[in-house]
Amino acid sequence: VYGATGFVGELTARYLADHAPIGTKIALAGRNETKLATVRKRLPERAQSWPLIVADSSSPAALDALCARTRVVCTTVGPYLKYGEALVVAAATAGTDYVDLTGEVPFVRYSIDKAHDTAVASGARIVHSCGFDSVPSDLGVYALYRKVADDDAGEMTDTTFVLRSFKGGVSGGTVDSMRVITEQARDAQVRRLIMNPQALSGGPGDVPKASLSSEPSDIGVVSAKKVDPSLRGTLAPFFMASHNTRIVRRSNALLHNAYGKDFHYAETMNVGSIPGVSTLAAGAVGVGTGAFFGAMSFGPTRRLLDRVLPKPGNGPSEKSRDAGFFVSDVYTRTTTGRRFRSTMRAQGDPGYKATAVMLGESALALALDRDKLPAHAGVLTPAVAMGDALIDRLRDAGFAIDAEELTR
């Protein structure tokens, strides 16, 4: 666990101490041995024998040595655009599997360009976005794909993620990533990349040219009935759509468009089913999302936000983390006209407790379930790298993940 002294890093280490099978060899890594030792003391008894590995993100040699002695590196050290580039390259070179929590499109694009071919050659699985960004999205669509295929129902077409309900906060690490992205977006080339709906769909050096109109808007307000006739009201944009949608589209590209030749994907958020009220609320969310990113990119307002937003390394209390939850649905209509829905639900703050489960189980799947994993290597997504093996693990960890045909 690299970054074990951070808030989510320690949560992930604690989850592994409580749930990893006996005999699993785990180490804690970071740049400060004293802080690592302090974290280890707070963990359950079985973790007290875990080795400590000192490796600074600015030292390629130290990261090479770290990757050379491990099968899977599980990193929470973000923003990844600032601290993650050398570790991705080190893992790909060593043939070491890798999982992270990034929600940064430019970082994943960097990883594809710099590490994909190396990882394919070494057999490494480099798997980004293994937390709330973007496991519910990616596995939700993958579960639908499997159900549609099993039912011989054709191919998926218009597909929409709906965050039905949730309770939880935004992590300081996520906010810090937003800061870095808004800084990077001042560059016109990076801005074009972020706005490209297929930014992550191509291979190294190949960013497909795609207009914004080729896929649903990341900030659009959507009539719920257009998503599925069973829904009511208006759906708001989901604030992480601009990252999650790119991950899902990369999954489809890596699977050679198995989801469908006319597959299109959007993400939304439920704000109520009362038509007039939900329309106003959805519009407010859309305006607020745009205003937030605008404020983050403007120095004076950003400094004001920095005073109230959570700082990296900080997070909610255990009581608050336990009280959190999320429920997400993904709807699709197939080329045969049939309608399907997948659902994922989990207890625990999505950005903290539930994310620690998703990241921890992703690492365990790569380390322990190698005979069950798809035969893919390179810069991958959760669905392509782990697929059914991760779904099974998350179910065993208490997640509900289901897919069904809708007949009404």
Side-chain angles (χ1 to χ4, degrees):
V1 181
Y2 185 59
T5 58
F7 193 84
V8 178
E10 183 173 344
L11 288 179
T12 304
R14 182 172 295 277
Y15 178 80
L16 292 171
D18 288 333
H19 298 281
I22 298 298
T24 307
K25 297 179 180 179
I26 300 171
L28 303 179
R31 63 182 180 181
N32 187 303
E33 186 171 8
T34 300
K35 291 182 178 179
L36 287 170
T38 300
V39 167
R40 185 172 60 181
K41 289 179 181 177
R42 293 197 293 261
L43 297 179
E45 179 62 31
R46 65 175 295 195
Q48 299 312 306
S49 61
W50 289 358
L52 306 179
I53 302 175
V54 177
D56 194 295
S57 62
S58 63
S59 172
L63 297 177
D64 287 344
L66 181 153
C67 290
R69 61 185 295 191
T70 188
R71 176 174 285 186
V72 180
V73 59
C74 170
T75 175
T76 63
V77 181
Y80 294 88
L81 282 167
K82 290 176 66 175
Y83 304 117
E85 295 178 355
L87 181 57
V88 162
V89 173
T93 303
T96 297
D97 290 348
Y98 164 108
V99 291
D100 71 18
L101 295 174
T102 190
E104 304 160 41
V105 168
F107 175 69
V108 181
R109 186 66 249 176
Y110 168 89
S111 181
I112 295 166
D113 291 339
K114 299 297 184 182
H116 179 79
D117 287 345
T118 302
V120 169
S122 70
R125 298 175 177 89
I126 306 298
V127 194
H128 298 295
S129 307
C130 292
F132 190 53
D133 307 319
S134 306
V135 166
S137 307
D138 203 34
L139 287 190
V141 175
Y142 177 79
L144 268 186
Y145 157 67
R146 292 300 305 271
K147 176 64 175 173
V148 168
D150 289 346
D151 288 5
D152 194 23
E155 296 181 343
M156 294 193 290
T157 60
D158 293 336
T159 303
T160 304
F161 171 98
V162 181
L163 182 61
R164 191 199 311 176
S165 58
F166 79 103
K167 180 180 180 181
V170 178
S171 73
T174 297
V175 172
D176 208 23
S177 291
M178 291 177 181
R179 292 187 183 99
V180 173
I181 291 171
T182 54
E183 288 175 359
Q184 294 259 329
R186 295 173 184 172
D187 181 277
Q189 185 175 353
V190 175
R191 192 161 58 248
R192 285 194 296 271
L193 177 68
I194 292 172
M195 295 179 68
N196 185 340
Q198 300 291 346
L200 305 180
S201 298
D206 175 27
V207 180
K209 293 181 179 180
S211 66
L212 282 173
S213 61
S214 66
E215 290 288 344
S217 171
D218 295 326
I219 57 174
V221 172
V222 180
S223 169
K225 282 188 176 181
K226 289 185 178 180
V227 172
D228 191 83
S230 65
L231 300 177
R232 298 291 181 269
T234 303
L235 297 168
F238 180 42
F239 54 87
M240 285 307 298
S242 61
H243 180 78
N244 295 338
T245 54
R246 276 67 169 170
I247 293 293
V248 170
R249 291 173 196 140
R250 179 163 179 79
S251 290
N252 190 38
L254 289 170
L255 294 172
H256 307 291
N257 295 316
Y259 294 166
K261 294 184 290 293
D262 198 30
F263 173 79
H264 297 284
Y265 180 68
E267 295 207 340
T268 63
M269 184 168 62
N270 174 45
V271 288
S273 59
I274 302 173
V277 175
S278 63
T279 299
L280 290 172
V285 170
V287 171
T289 301
F292 174 78
F293 280 102
M296 287 289 284
S297 64
F298 182 57
T301 51
R302 175 171 162 173
R303 285 191 288 272
L304 288 174
L305 288 173
D306 285 344
R307 296 179 182 178
V308 297
L309 291 172
K311 303 295 189 295
N314 296 327
S317 66
E318 182 176 2
K319 181 179 179 180
S320 296
R321 298 195 304 270
D322 290 345
F325 68 91
F326 76 88
V327 183
S328 61
D329 298 319
V330 184
Y331 294 85
T332 196
R333 187 181 293 273
T334 72
T335 51
T336 61
R338 294 162 70 177
R339 296 160 37 237
F340 291 81
R341 175 183 65 197
S342 68
T343 298
M344 183 181 294
R345 57 169 58 87
Q347 190 64 34
D349 186 304
Y352 293 98
K353 185 173 182 179
T355 279
V357 177
M358 289 183 271
L359 182 63
E361 292 296 343
S362 294
L364 291 173
L366 292 176
L368 305 179
D369 299 339
R370 299 174 84 81
D371 59 331
K372 302 177 184 178
L373 299 178
H376 297 294
V379 177
L380 308 174
T381 62
V384 174
M386 295 169 282
D388 295 312
L390 182 55
I391 288 177
D392 290 343
R393 278 194 164 275
L394 291 176
R395 283 174 174 158
D396 289 344
F399 281 49
I401 306 173
D402 303 292
E404 61 180 344
E405 183 171 5
L406 300 174
T407 56
R408 290 186 178 182

